[in-house]
Amino acid sequence: MLSAWFRTTEKLIHWLGLWETPSFSAHKPVHRAALVLLMFGAALALVNDAAQTDSSVDAWGALQSQAVTALVFLALALLGIGLPFWRRWSQARLRLGLLNLRHRDWLAGVGAGICLYALAYAATTVWSHAVPADAFVEQTKEARMLHEALGVNLLPALLLALLTAASEEILFRGALQPVFGALITSIFFTLLHPALLYTPGMLIIFGLSLGLGWLRIRWNTGVAVAAHASYNFLPFLLAHAGAA
């Protein structure tokens, strides 16, 4: 029964491959384990969202919390692709899509991040007009708490943007997307952002993930990291420029 479920899931993953051919195989234990862990993580995110309570946050506390999460994500990514058991570091870099970036790659990543932020900003504007004002404030509460905590302090904002981008892209776009494809990976990526679940914001996160997935296919994971970091840091940079 379980084997049949994995085989059915394999067919579904390949059918939803979009711009690529996922390598998921129902016969590989590591792929099965990855799928189970992703489903468990998504379920846990839903439970945590249901039990979420108000809490204060400060800039360096947020950075410390993200550093722990980043280490977990990186460990999962590296162990998941077999480092150091059956892949050397040079092979692991290639598998994760962490290639050396040229100047035009950096420019492509930063430019893509700016474009993704502009699209997200436009979508958020539509969202803010589509729901009552108090509902929008409640739905964006956690994001506003983080922005208020960091304020115009660019150093922790930059470190947070880089940590989040690098760890999430290496895990999701680097390790998982070649196995599950951009669409399935984006679904899990969205579910693991519980602050915006059950709100229109989850569609923004899903669209962002698809855009980053396309960058992984078109260029490499490093370009996706640059785009994600730019996307994360730009609102703080704009707030700092506005305050100045």
Side-chain angles (χ1 to χ4, degrees):
M1 178 69 73
L2 190 59
S3 296
W5 182 83
F6 277 115
R7 288 195 297 271
T8 302
T9 304
E10 177 183 349
K11 293 179 181 178
L12 178 63
I13 289 172
H14 283 267
W15 182 65
L16 295 173
L18 288 182
W19 316 291
E20 57 195 329
T21 302
S23 65
F24 180 86
S25 173
H27 302 290
K28 291 185 176 181
V30 66
H31 288 181
R32 290 188 177 198
L35 179 61
V36 171
L37 285 173
L38 280 174
M39 295 180 68
F40 175 77
L44 187 62
L46 294 174
V47 171
N48 286 341
D49 177 72
Q52 193 173 6
T53 57
D54 292 341
S55 60
S56 59
V57 63
D58 63 89
W60 297 106
L63 185 60
Q64 183 180 16
S65 176
Q66 184 55 45
V68 173
T69 302
L71 288 175
V72 173
F73 280 7
L74 290 173
L76 288 173
L78 295 176
L79 290 173
I81 64 166
L83 186 75
F85 303 107
W86 63 84
R87 276 194 173 101
R88 297 189 299 273
W89 172 241
S90 58
Q91 296 171 316
R93 284 184 63 233
L94 184 62
R95 165 63 179 80
L96 291 172
L98 295 174
L99 308 180
N100 294 327
L101 298 186
R102 298 161 295 183
H103 291 299
R104 64 181 182 181
D105 296 329
W106 285 109
L107 290 175
V110 173
I114 293 172
C115 290
L116 288 170
Y117 179 79
L119 291 172
Y121 185 86
T124 302
T125 301
V126 173
W127 172 16
S128 68
H129 287 85
V131 301
D134 56 343
F136 180 75
V137 169
E138 178 63 25
Q139 291 170 352
T140 57
K141 177 175 60 179
E142 186 167 325
R144 286 186 295 103
M145 286 174 57
L146 179 60
H147 280 261
E148 289 168 2
L150 294 174
V152 294
N153 193 344
L154 290 185
L155 179 58
L158 177 60
L159 293 176
L160 189 66
L162 291 172
L163 272 176
T164 302
S167 59
E168 290 185 354
E169 292 311 302
I170 289 173
L171 175 60
F172 285 95
R173 252 56 65 179
L176 296 177
Q177 183 172 312
V179 177
F180 296 100
L183 183 59
I184 298 294
T185 300
S186 293
I187 291 173
F188 284 116
F189 182 83
T190 303
L191 292 176
L192 292 176
H193 286 74
L196 293 174
L197 290 181
Y198 314 117
T199 76
M202 67 184 299
L203 298 177
I204 297 175
I205 296 297
F206 182 72
L208 167 66
S209 184
L210 286 179
L212 294 170
W214 181 81
L215 291 174
R216 163 67 158 110
I217 297 167
R218 174 64 179 80
W219 277 280
N220 53 62
T221 303
V223 172
V225 170
H228 195 162
S230 301
Y231 176 94
N232 288 346
F233 184 60
L234 190 57
F236 299 105
L237 185 61
L238 292 175
H240 179 79

